[in-house]
């Protein structure tokens, strides 16, 4: 059987992962790699060829040309054949920092040979990329996240897969008509209203709020999908600089189109992509969902059962990343998911957060020095080494780095423990992990997070199978300066 690559340009790691997909799905007698295609000898499971992510077609002497599902999905909704499409199906619903590349999520499912009817867990599900890819393959899934916006978006994506695209478009047009003709003025005398008023020019806020009321008046299954699409436009019409990853006052001009016209356009693009995907996959009703819970405590949730998951996959938070939710504040408040006064405490709760609240600074230092979390030696001594490297020239942010790293490692140890209790024995767990570096007293320290997490996992119920380095892998929404060169796919197996 001859497999042909897509026509887009590949990163080297993608071709590496492609070979692993072939091994686990097709189980051929041998694989020969040519310049433009790959030859696989006697595949044991030739029917699985349609699931391959990194190939466009398969052909052999005795069968007609087969197109992979991925090539159909990417061709219809993508950027053309020259670039890999990452917004097909429901993936383009909303921006989300640190989003998975959907191809990598699906490739992980293929490498784990996940089958329809199995149950997958994404403990840090974010906006639900992996849950959508599971749904495409008929795999049931549960995602957990402590950011309510993540849960909202992930569930909106899953739900939209089950709504015929034309119904979604019809509801969107109806909401638009109501919003255009509505004279209701937004209520601004509560905490939410005051916050929004401080971040939007009055004429935009009036349109934005009228649209929200109109979408809610439809009150059907389309509502969260349409609100998510509108939410994705908010920053463009706000007084925050839309391209900035932090919150800064706007200096760039506002868009030329009205908010309602932008909503109309965004809905049309989304529905066209959804319609394309539904032509390939059909309308998918799945029981999968995202649950708002701290993954360290996921086992205490009544709908999450111990030893019930066949596999887990995730992209966990970075150690001391840029504040994740800065660019999401307007959405969190506008959608009514969080009062403005609770944003900072949510920020502080996220694993990898840079915030240390209240009196905890000193107690965290004592915890680090005594290694209260019983981290493996390598990770505990790295934190001590960083703490000892601090000098007077390091400002207060840098002073906190060793303690924050220690807290990150201990939180991840708890997460590994919690996930281990939820999966079946021998279940695989794949993590896309980025490295980091810090400069203390003028000396650069590289923090090989994939290696550290593999170590910590090994001390918490997992066996480290392998680490695959992903050169030039870039998660969306992370700033180049914050991006890393040590991104890797860490593969574990439950003991
Ligand atoms: C890199 S993002 C995941 C992005 C996701 N793969 C996607 O495609 O959108 C990491 C996520 O971990 C979440 N998170 C941080 N601490 C958490 C915790 N204790 N429990 C669950 N989720 C948490 C953050 O809210 C964030 O959504």
């Amino acid at each position: 059987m001859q497999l042909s690559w897509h026509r887009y340009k590949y990163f080297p790691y993608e071709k590496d992962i492609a070979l692993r997909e072939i091994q686990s799905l097709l189980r051929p007698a041998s694989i020969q790699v040519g310049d433009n295609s790959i030859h696989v000898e006697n595949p044991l499971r030739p029917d699985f060829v349609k699931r391959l992510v990194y190939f466009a077609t398969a052909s052999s002497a005795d069968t007609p040309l087969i197109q992979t599902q991925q090539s159909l999905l990417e061709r219809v909704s993508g950027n053309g054949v020259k670039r890999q499409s990452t917004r097909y199906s429901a993936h383009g619903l909303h921006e989300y920092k640190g989003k998975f590349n959907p191809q990598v999520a699906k490739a992980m499912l293929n490498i784990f040979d996940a089958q329809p009817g199995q149950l997958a867990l994404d403990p840090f599900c974010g906006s639900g990329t992996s849950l959508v890819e599971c749904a495409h393959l008929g795999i049931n899934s549960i995602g957990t996240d402590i950011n309510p916006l993540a849960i909202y978006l992930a569930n909106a994506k899953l739900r939209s897969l089950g709504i015929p695209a034309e119904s979604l478009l019809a509801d969107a047009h109806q909401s638009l008509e109501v919003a255009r003709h509505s004279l209701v003025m937004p209520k601004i005398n509560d905490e939410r209203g005051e916050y929004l008023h401080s971040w939007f020019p009055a004429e935009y806020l009036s349109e934005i709020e009228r649209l929200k009321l109109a979408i809610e008046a439809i009150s059907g299954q389309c509502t969260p999908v349409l609100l998510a699409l509108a939410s994705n436009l908010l920053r463009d019409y706000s007084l925050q600089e839309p391209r900035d990853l932090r919150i800064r006052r706007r200096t760039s001009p506002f868009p030329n189109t009205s908010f309602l016209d932008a909503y109309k356009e965004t809905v049309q693009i989304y529905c066209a992509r959804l319609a394309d995907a539904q032509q390939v996959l059909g309308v998918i009703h799945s029981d999968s969902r995202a649950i708002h819970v701290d993954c360290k405590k996921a086992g205490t949730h009544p709908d999450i059962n111990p030893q019930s998951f066949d596999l887990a996959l995730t992209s966990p938070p970075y150690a001391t990343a840029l504040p994740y939710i800065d660019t999401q504040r307007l959405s969190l408040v506008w959608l009514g998911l969080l009062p403005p006064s609770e944003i900072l405490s949510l920020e502080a709760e996220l694993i990898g957060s840079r915030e240390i609240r209240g009196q905890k600074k000193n107690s965290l230092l004592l915890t680090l020095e005594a290694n209260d979390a019983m981290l493996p030696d390598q990770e505990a001594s790295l934190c001590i080494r960083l703490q000892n490297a601090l000098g007077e020239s390091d400002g207060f942010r840098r002073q906190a780095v060793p303690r924050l790293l220690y807290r990150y490692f201990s939180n991840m140890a708890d997460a590994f423990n919690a996930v281990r209790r939820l999966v079946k024995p021998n279940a695989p767990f794949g993590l896309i992990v980025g490295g980091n570096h810090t400069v203390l007293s003028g000396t650069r320290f590289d923090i090989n997070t994939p290696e550290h997490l593999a170590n910590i996992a090994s001390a918490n119920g997992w066996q480290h199978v392998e680490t695959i380095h992903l050169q030039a892998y870039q998660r969306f929404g992370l700033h180049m300066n914050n991006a890393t060169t040590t991104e890797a796919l860490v593969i574990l197996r439950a003991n």
Side-chain angles (χ1 to χ4, degrees):
M1 184 184 269
Q2 203 76 16
L3 303 175
S4 305
W5 301 107
H6 298 284
R7 279 196 267 162
Y8 58 72
K9 199 168 176 303
Y10 283 70
F11 290 119
Y13 77 83
E14 291 174 316
K15 295 205 167 177
D16 177 358
I17 295 182
L19 296 181
R20 292 166 196 265
E21 277 195 289
I22 297 175
Q23 286 288 11
S24 60
L25 284 186
L26 306 185
R27 304 192 184 155
S30 67
I31 302 177
Q32 285 127 41
V33 181
D35 279 349
N36 298 318
S37 66
I38 283 196
H39 184 76
V40 292
E41 202 68 55
N42 286 336
L44 208 59
R45 305 194 304 182
D47 292 352
F48 280 70
V49 79
K50 286 204 183 119
R51 264 181 66 163
L52 292 172
V53 175
Y54 293 111
F55 297 94
T57 58
S59 57
S60 63
D62 43 345
T63 48
L65 191 79
I66 299 170
Q67 284 207 296
T68 59
Q69 201 180 68
Q70 193 68 22
S71 77
L72 295 172
L73 284 171
E74 290 195 40
R75 188 197 59 202
V76 289
S77 56
N79 317 316
V81 290
K82 293 270 165 60
R83 276 177 61 194
Q84 187 183 64
S85 163
T86 51
R87 279 159 200 266
Y88 58 89
S89 184
H91 290 304
L93 181 75
H94 202 283
E95 292 308 313
Y96 194 82
K97 260 200 216 160
K99 236 194 226 186
F100 247 150
N101 170 287
Q103 282 81 357
V104 169
K106 179 169 174 182
M108 253 200 251
L109 294 169
N110 283 344
I111 292 172
F112 295 159
D113 195 23
Q115 293 302 321
Q118 286 191 326
L119 184 60
L121 171 70
D122 185 339
F124 300 101
C125 73
S127 64
T129 310
S130 60
L131 310 187
V132 169
E133 285 301 328
C134 282
H136 288 171
L137 292 171
I139 297 162
N140 300 317
S141 62
I142 287 185
T144 61
D145 205 291
I146 47 171
N147 180 346
L149 181 65
I151 301 304
Y152 192 89
L153 298 177
N155 283 327
K157 283 184 191 172
L158 287 171
R159 187 181 292 211
S160 73
L161 298 179
I163 304 172
E166 59 275 21
S167 312
L168 187 61
L169 193 59
D171 275 11
H173 283 153
Q174 196 193 333
S175 61
L176 201 54
E177 278 313 297
V178 174
R180 283 200 201 283
H181 296 106
S182 146
L183 296 173
V184 182
M185 287 309 285
K187 203 171 106 203
I188 53 152
N189 54 356
D190 56 2
E191 195 191 351
R192 173 184 173 278
E194 273 171 29
Y195 183 83
L196 294 175
H197 212 62
S198 68
W199 282 115
F200 289 99
E203 68 274 24
Y204 289 145
L205 185 57
S206 161
E207 266 193 323
I208 290 167
E209 286 289 84
R210 278 187 285 133
L211 180 64
K212 182 163 184 284
L213 290 178
I215 294 173
E216 283 167 349
I218 298 172
S219 80
Q221 50 171 353
C222 296
T223 306
V225 184
L226 298 180
L227 286 176
L229 286 166
S231 151
N232 198 32
L233 299 170
L234 289 179
R235 275 196 114 214
D236 283 347
Y237 288 81
S238 77
L239 295 165
Q240 295 182 3
E241 183 55 48
R243 276 174 299 279
D244 212 317
L245 289 177
R246 304 302 301 262
I247 299 181
R248 298 218 167 81
R249 279 265 155 192
R250 180 173 202 124
T251 51
S252 64
F254 281 97
N256 293 324
T257 42
S258 74
F259 184 79
L260 293 181
D261 285 344
Y263 169 72
K264 184 176 177 188
E265 194 187 334
T266 205
V267 159
Q268 275 165 349
I269 293 172
Y270 186 74
C271 289
R273 287 180 182 150
L274 188 64
D276 287 343
Q278 288 176 342
Q279 287 229 319
V280 179
L281 303 164
V283 173
I284 303 170
H285 299 284
S286 89
D287 293 333
S288 302
R289 66 195 180 110
I291 298 179
H292 187 212
V293 64
D294 179 340
C295 73
K296 305 195 290 302
K297 299 176 193 148
T300 60
H301 193 279
D303 296 342
I304 302 180
N305 298 320
Q307 301 217 359
S308 59
F309 292 90
D310 298 284
L311 68 134
L313 73 165
T314 200
S315 55
Y318 276 74
T320 69
L322 272 181
Y324 263 105
I325 60 169
D326 266 9
T327 54
Q328 302 170 351
R329 289 180 184 207
L330 296 174
S331 292
L332 280 161
V333 173
W334 185 68
L335 290 166
L337 299 171
L338 204 64
S341 52
E342 287 177 26
I343 290 176
L344 287 181
S345 46
L346 171 63
E347 175 82 61
E349 256 186 82
L350 298 172
I351 294 181
S353 156
R354 290 187 190 181
E355 300 300 321
I356 305 181
R357 308 206 90 199
Q359 296 298 314
K360 294 199 181 133
K361 273 189 185 155
N362 286 337
S363 64
L364 203 48
L365 182 57
L366 296 175
T367 309
L368 181 165
E369 284 168 351
N371 189 16
D372 284 343
M374 291 192 287
L375 292 180
D377 286 349
Q378 201 178 322
E379 286 64 45
S381 57
L382 169 67
C383 296
I384 300 259
R385 201 147 43 88
L386 296 182
Q387 181 66 32
N388 292 340
L390 288 171
E392 278 173 13
S393 60
D394 294 315
F396 84 102
R397 286 243 170 249
R398 291 209 172 125
Q399 294 288 340
V401 165
R403 278 171 280 186
L404 292 176
L405 188 65
Y406 188 84
R407 184 173 71 177
Y408 172 76
F409 285 156
S410 353
N411 281 332
M412 288 304 294
D414 291 344
F416 281 123
N417 239 310
V419 175
R420 173 62 193 88
R421 277 183 251 122
L422 300 177
V423 299
K424 296 176 181 170
N426 274 324
F429 185 7
L431 301 99
I432 299 283
V433 185
N436 206 342
H437 74 263
T438 185
V439 178
L440 304 177
S441 289
T443 308
R444 180 184 160 117
F445 292 87
D446 286 303
I447 301 170
N448 186 338
T449 316
E451 189 184 311
H452 292 300
L453 291 193
N455 254 337
I456 293 170
S458 303
N460 285 282
W462 298 90
Q463 183 199 333
H464 177 214
V465 178
E466 110 177 271
T467 295
I468 304 166
H469 292 281
L470 311 180
Q471 319 85 329
Y473 181 90
Q474 176 87 63
R475 281 192 255 179
F476 308 129
L478 289 169
H479 211 259
M480 278 312 276
N481 294 336
N482 206 36
T484 57
T485 49
T486 54
E487 201 91 30
L489 166 55
V490 176
I491 299 183
L492 311 169
R493 200 163 275 283
N495 286 331

